[in-house]
Amino acid sequence: MYKGTNASSGIGIGTAVIVEEAELVIKREAVLDTEAEAKRFQEALEQTMKDTEALAADLATRVGEKEAEIMQGHLMLLMDPMLTGEIENTIKNESICSEYAVEQVCTMYADVFAAMEDELMQQRATDMRDIKTRMQQVLMGVSSVDISALPAGSILVAKDLTPSMTAGINPAHVAGIVTELGGKTSHSAILARALEIPAVVAVKDFMGLVKNGDQVILDGSEGIVFVNPDEKTASKYQEKRDCFLKEKKELEQYIGKPTVTRDGVSIELVANIGKPEDVEKVLQYDGEGVGLFRTEFLFMDRNAMPTEEEQFEAYKEVAEKLAGKPVIIRTLDIGADKQAPSLGLPEEENPALGFRAIRICLERTDIFQTQLRA
């Protein structure tokens, strides 16, 4: 048994398919005509943007608009004049090939993200490396790994799955995902949850422990993986998987029906959310409101405190989409295992000790109440 991080719930049973991108050998090569080289970069950039737009459109159709925003975020990076301008300037000023200029500039930005203390910001390094590789593949005429046509029952095994690779997955054929790197907040993990594919990430050195064709079982709820399990273990998790799918199917029949017990007692069925876009799932499964809106997301994914207006707009978005259903907004719960760089709080060795809640006094309390009652 191998232990990792539970990234997407469910039981995955299938055959290992190891996914490895062809290693790109990027050399610093001098160019004489820097204008022509800059034009070659622009053409590759435009092609990468078209490919990214296609991925975003496909995700929006198959999964949802919110999930497509991940690839749209990649598109915004590709459209950033600071990034692309710096690549062009590097080509012209250093008289080097586009591939190396892309490598140099994108790696610098990725390293900046990776060096940040906040886990969510660290995950942005993966996004930067993803667009770097895709631009270089276009420049070099190298095709990326196509994981959209894998056989049914495949367990994807990779060092790390980039968001663009995850976006191309066919959930009907992929039974689970196991990676050596990544975390719960990585975009690939977010997409795995949206696609409802069980996933375990951060399984140390797993690529050296499995080979193509091995039988793999993963428990995305517990964060554990088995390779070529014995019959007893296989039988146990097959039964667990069947129960999981059966229960999921049975629960779907209640969508749209009143939440009432057999003896006529009404029960309020509400959901917990961590960011505004989570409200889409609440509506999809006919939730009766939000019982806990965690507000940490506004503070953890940045190095500066959010403004009052930003907080107001986030809470307002949820209130308006729920159209009168109740929303309970929790005051900021930060500390211990949940750090916000801008607050500069001391680290706690034991998250169970000490005071964790920081009460934020909002001047617009009356406005929030009005929105929640609307």
Side-chain angles (χ1 to χ4, degrees), residues 233-250:
T233 301
S235 177
K236 172 187 173 182
Y237 278 90
Q238 181 63 57
E239 183 178 347
K240 193 173 180 180
R241 179 177 181 272
D242 291 344
C243 289
F244 179 86
L245 295 176
K246 181 182 177 183
E247 182 180 7
K248 184 171 179 275
K249 190 69 177 175
E250 288 176 346

Side-chain angles (χ1 to χ4, degrees), residues 7 22 67 155:
E67 288 68 32
I155 301 289

Side-chain angles (χ1 to χ4, degrees), residues 28-31 33-35 37-38 41 81-109:
R28 184 186 180 104
E29 296 182 355
V31 295
D33 190 342
T34 57
E35 289 296 332
E37 189 64 17
F41 163 68
M82 183 176 292
L83 175 68
T84 58
E86 193 162 349
I87 293 172
E88 277 200 51
N89 289 335
T90 302
I91 292 170
K92 294 176 181 178
N93 295 338
E94 300 184 25
S95 298
I96 58 174
C97 63
S98 299
E99 293 88 339
Y100 196 83
V102 169
E103 179 74 24
Q104 192 169 294
V105 175
C106 289
T107 298
M108 178 194 69
Y109 278 104

Side-chain angles (χ1 to χ4, degrees), residues 52-53 55-61 63-75 167 191 194:
T52 305
E53 287 175 341
L55 276 171
D58 179 59
L59 265 182
T61 302
V63 187
E65 291 291 343
K66 285 298 177 182
E67 288 68 32
E69 287 179 3
I70 291 174
M71 296 315 301
Q72 288 164 359
H74 281 208
L75 195 60
L191 286 172

